[in-house]
Amino acid sequence: MAEEAVGSQRGVASEPWRRGVGLGLRLVDVLIRSVLPVVLALVAGGILLEILGRNPRTFYSHIWLYGVQNGSWQDSAIRMAPLLLIAMGLTVIFRASIWNLGYNGQFALGAALVAGYGPSLVNHVPLAVALVTLFLMATAAGAAWTLVPSVLKARYGTNEIITTLMMSFIGVGLANILVKGPFQDPTIQTPQTRVIPLEDMLPSIPSTRIHVGLLVAFAAVLAVHYLLTRTAFGLRLQVLGANPRAARHVGIRLPRLIITAFLISGGLIGAAAAADILGLWGYVRADQFPAYGDAVIPFVFLARLNALAVVPFVAFYAVLSTGGDLATAEANLPSDFLLVLVGLILLFMTMIEYLGRRRELGGSYLTPGLSQALRSSLFWRKTAVE
Amino acid sequence: MSEIFTEVFWTTVLAGGLLAGIPLMFTSLGETISERAGVLNIGLEGMMLLGAYLGFLGAHYSDSVWLGFLTGIAGGMAGSVIMVVLCVWLGLDQIVVGIAITLLGEGITSVLQGAQFGTTYPRLGATPTVSIPLLHRIPVVGTSLFEQPLVVYLGFGLVAVVGWLFRSTNIGLNLRAAGERPEALDAAGVSVRATRSWAALSTGALAGLGGAYLSIAVAGVFTPFITQGQGFIAIVIAMLARGRPLLVVIGSFVFGISLSLSDALQIAGITISEDVINMLPFIAIIVALVLFSRRAYLPPALAVPYVRGAR
């Protein structure tokens, strides 16, 4: 892992007593680089609230009240399920220095399919079979939606930032068409699918309201962590991420690797949609697909693309957004205020990264290649392909 | 099928294409300038939104579209100042900062609009137009094409000016050098940082103007997320245009027409769902990328921070 590599390069691990000091310093580094941007963003957001004539202290205490207290932590935990799965999807692909920015389309398609076929499927086959089928269907849909960008990138080196973004808009459009057309609930006017009956949704973890989708998400975290740190595939991804040219020279078949990484990424994001629809919503409404991915990106970076480290960050954001939905409503503001906070976190993260580079704070949030990847031609990236 | 090719249909397609294409034209012209200089603006969408919101506010409170366009330009530039400081001066990652600017632009304009107007959306009056003598009397398309707000004509003038700047001035040469081989520009005694800063600022100004035109002249109202991904379309247009302003204009109107097709088809009595129509520009871009991606050209130093003496 990148963190350990940095530690050993500094030579702090050689003597036991120095290792302790090194660990302490590293912990401080990690705290500064990961937690400080969040704190600064919350402060800046508070200043903005003050300007708008809202009381920031009330606002943030409302977030705590509605996101953690009185059992609302369970709502936050429920929201963690799709967020974690999306974060895993992004972690895998970012490790390879590839940008999958098509998460909204991949999610929307998965969600539309699950909500479209779900209500009838749960009536016709045993519930367990139905739920697993729906999960697999959403996974397949999310994965399939990455095929065009990944094949274009693998074969022609076409820049995936643009293609995934465009496919994302198309995916959301297609999901809307499906919801308003074949999946439309015929008994009502609102453009939405039929509702999966409550007893046919994902079961809850005993003595909580939290559905088992969260366990699926945690399993995915462990699986992705294992995949990235303990397997040859993970190593290949890391080599590709660090240096595409080196990856080619050591004989990695790049097209296959790129396409596989994209499929895993899209599949996890599709699975996130299944967990969210089957666990929480039970239906989707056209034009109302949640854009979870936009909010997850900064936290994936703050976790330094480390699958396990993503968990606390996602938990934080789950609380922030669950409490924030109600807190913004009470402050009479659009819930898009959360987008401002997320954008601020990203900005402060890059700034602290800059200071960190100046002061040798250690590993960067980007794999070396992720920033490097853009330095060749955006469309025709020979080094990344051949 | 003949009844769909009526006068009204063609007028709607052309006039609507022009109307929808103008914001794209301003924005992608701006992106062309900074791409030439080696700065990639993924945050274009956020800058457009800032321009759209501030432009709307300016026009709303002053009752003057011109002041509105000016505040819109200021809004877009405010967004690009972040880009200039963080990416050009400090050399931070342009993609991450760009995503941040987009998220911030989306969030802040929506929050401010909500805090100020709640769920009401005040409308502006129609933007005054200027008709070109003689040409606007051309039957069928004359009035819709040659009666435009003054800023549109100025915009076409601006395209010509940018083309001339690129082709035959030192400024254009400096811009291109900043994107192609910044160290050569540095060695020639011209500041890479200043060149790129000005380029990024003019991109912000043009994106802000594009957004302001969208909210003031096209929609007459500001709604959150009004740009609907047009900032990203503008990036692609600029990439495919390979730094040629004329191609920027053509590309913008092709996409403008595909954005305006839904109205035209409805008039022609063909109801295609709005969602299908909204997808068209993005499908067109995927097709264009598949077909032309090899011919697209981007400066080698695009998105590479310039550090003097670094290799």
Side-chain angles (χ1 to χ4, degrees):
Chain A
M1 279 172 31
E3 298 289 289
E4 285 157 14
V6 170
S8 60
Q9 271 167 16
R10 286 181 183 167
V12 286
S14 48
E15 293 165 61
W17 64 272
R18 289 190 65 184
R19 184 188 299 163
V21 176
L23 254 179
L25 278 181
R26 226 176 70 191
L27 204 66
V28 174
D29 285 0
V30 168
L31 277 181
I32 290 178
R33 281 188 284 116
S34 303
V35 180
L36 195 59
V38 178
V39 174
L40 287 176
L42 291 180
V43 171
I47 295 173
L48 178 64
L49 284 170
E50 195 77 61
I51 294 171
L52 293 175
R54 269 69 170 179
N55 185 345
R57 210 172 294 165
T58 323
F59 180 81
Y60 287 128
S61 67
H62 276 166
I63 288 188
W64 183 256
L65 177 66
Y66 298 122
V68 179
Q69 284 179 321
N70 298 335
S72 55
W73 64 271
Q74 298 201 15
D75 296 314
S76 302
I78 290 171
R79 189 164 294 193
M80 271 183 82
L83 293 176
L84 269 182
L85 282 164
I86 294 176
M88 287 308 104
L90 296 180
T91 302
V92 168
I93 198 84
F94 288 170
R95 275 270 176 138
S97 298
I98 302 170
W99 296 89
N100 175 10
L101 299 185
Y103 38 77
N104 284 340
Q106 292 148 23
F107 187 95
L109 271 184
L113 286 179
V114 168
Y117 287 113
S120 57
L121 199 65
V122 290
N123 283 335
H124 289 99
V125 292
L127 186 58
V129 180
L131 291 178
V132 170
T133 314
L134 290 169
F135 248 96
L136 292 179
M137 190 159 69
T139 308
W145 212 242
T146 65
L147 268 178
V148 171
S150 67
V151 170
L152 278 179
K153 182 180 170 62
R155 293 199 80 165
Y156 304 113
T158 311
N159 177 247
E160 76 282 4
I161 298 178
I162 298 300
T163 48
T164 51
L165 267 174
M166 297 300 120
M167 289 303 283
S168 184
F169 288 112
I170 300 173
V172 174
L174 194 60
N176 275 329
I177 292 170
L178 285 174
V179 171
K180 289 176 188 170
F183 295 158
Q184 163 83 45
D185 181 349
T187 59
I188 51 167
Q189 284 291 317
T190 343
Q192 68 176 46
T193 63
R194 283 187 292 151
V195 183
I196 302 172
L198 208 56
E199 65 272 15
D200 291 336
M201 303 215 335
L202 288 177
S204 296
I205 301 169
S207 76
T208 65
R209 289 182 285 120
I210 306 165
H211 60 81
V212 295
L214 184 62
L215 300 182
V216 175
F218 277 125
V221 170
L222 292 178
V224 166
H225 184 70
Y226 179 83
L227 185 74
L228 290 178
T229 56
R230 302 280 186 278
T231 65
F233 177 77
L235 187 63
R236 281 190 214 114
L237 274 186
Q238 200 140 353
V239 174
L240 173 61
N243 189 339
R245 201 172 294 179
R248 196 171 76 238
H249 278 298
V250 296
I252 296 174
R253 273 179 289 182
L254 290 188
R256 206 165 83 169
L257 185 64
I258 291 171
I259 292 174
T260 318
F262 255 117
L263 287 177
I264 295 176
S265 174
L268 283 165
I269 293 167
D276 204 31
I277 300 304
L278 293 175
L280 180 61
W281 300 104
Y283 72 98
V284 295
R285 184 173 292 178
D287 300 318
Q288 305 229 334
F289 296 99
Y292 292 130
D294 293 330
V296 168
I297 283 195
F299 300 104
V300 172
F301 284 137
L302 283 177
R304 264 66 194 172
L305 307 184
N306 177 327
L308 296 182
V310 165
V311 177
F313 284 107
V314 165
F316 165 79
Y317 181 71
V319 170
L320 184 70
S321 68
T322 308
D325 280 349
L326 286 165
T328 46
E330 278 200 9
N332 203 11
L333 286 175
S335 60
D336 296 322
F337 181 75
L338 296 173
L339 272 185
V340 178
L341 289 182
V342 169
L344 285 172
I345 293 175
L346 263 181
L347 275 191
F348 284 119
M349 183 184 84
T350 54
M351 282 183 227
I352 285 167
E353 194 66 24
Y354 171 76
L355 297 175
R357 215 186 292 156
R358 299 284 299 250
R359 287 167 193 275
E360 297 292 313
L361 268 179
S364 166
Y365 62 93
L366 292 173
T367 54
L370 199 53
S371 36
Q372 205 112 54
L374 265 155
R375 306 197 171 173
S376 48
S377 162
L378 270 173
F379 282 111
W380 189 238
R381 207 186 286 163
K382 281 208 164 109
T383 48
V385 200
E386 285 162 27
Chain B
M1 288 300 278
S2 64
E3 77 271 25
I4 74 161
F5 299 115
T6 56
E7 279 181 19
V8 192
F9 175 80
W10 286 114
T11 335
T12 318
V13 166
L14 289 178
L18 189 62
L19 199 62
I22 293 287
L24 283 175
M25 183 184 84
F26 282 124
T27 311
S28 45
L29 184 67
E31 178 71 7
T32 304
I33 297 174
S34 75
E35 267 181 21
R36 273 235 155 167
V39 182
L40 180 71
N41 259 313
I42 292 282
L44 219 52
E45 177 90 355
M47 295 176 202
M48 273 186 94
L49 276 166
L50 285 171
Y53 176 68
L54 286 181
F56 168 79
L57 273 196
H60 179 68
Y61 285 119
S62 71
D63 276 329
S64 148
V65 286
W66 289 104
L67 221 65
F69 289 133
L70 279 183
T71 50
I73 290 174
M77 284 177 91
S80 65
V81 164
I82 303 178
M83 194 91 197
V84 167
V85 172
L86 293 185
C87 300
V88 180
W89 294 3
L90 302 184
L92 298 176
D93 188 277
Q94 295 181 3
I95 305 286
V96 177
V97 173
I99 295 175
I101 293 176
T102 296
L103 292 178
L104 270 180
E106 287 174 348
I108 240 165
T109 53
S110 165
V111 166
L112 291 180
Q113 145 83 31
Q116 200 168 2
F117 300 111
T119 46
T120 60
Y121 302 101
R123 296 197 74 88
L124 298 173
T127 311
T129 55
V130 177
S131 48
I132 299 182
L134 298 180
L135 282 180
H136 82 280
R137 295 207 193 144
I138 295 174
V140 186
V141 294
T143 44
S144 48
L145 289 191
F146 298 104
E147 264 192 47
Q148 297 289 337
L150 188 56
V151 71
V152 172
Y153 306 122
L154 293 180
F156 284 113
L158 195 63
V159 171
V161 169
V162 170
W164 172 74
L165 278 178
F166 278 176
R167 206 175 45 245
S168 36
T169 66
N170 269 347
I171 298 172
L173 203 58
N174 290 348
L175 280 177
R176 195 194 285 197
E180 301 271 342
R181 198 166 275 277
E183 57 275 20
L185 185 64
D186 201 16
V190 183
S191 164
V192 176
R193 181 180 287 191
T195 310
R196 287 186 167 181
S197 301
W198 286 115
L201 274 181
S202 27
T203 305
L206 282 168
L209 181 58
Y213 189 83
L214 189 64
S215 64
I216 295 173
V218 179
V221 59
F222 178 84
T223 49
F225 303 93
I226 188 175
T227 47
Q228 292 190 319
Q230 290 192 30
F232 297 113
I233 299 185
I235 295 174
V236 178
I237 293 174
M239 284 178 172
L240 293 175
R242 286 173 285 166
R244 291 192 215 158
L246 188 63
L247 287 180
V248 166
V249 176
I250 295 172
S252 303
F253 291 115
V254 169
F255 284 109
I257 284 174
S258 75
L259 285 173
S260 72
L261 259 184
S262 70
D263 297 337
L265 287 175
Q266 256 168 19
I267 287 171
I270 300 174
T271 41
I272 295 183
S273 104
E274 195 188 340
D275 298 300
V276 177
I277 301 290
N278 287 344
M279 277 159 60
L280 283 182
F282 301 109
I283 294 177
I285 282 177
I286 290 283
V287 173
L289 284 177
V290 172
L291 293 180
F292 303 119
S293 63
R294 289 173 204 205
R295 287 172 48 200
Y297 175 77
L298 287 170
L302 187 65
V304 185
Y306 179 67
V307 184
R308 184 179 275 184
R311 291 188 57 83

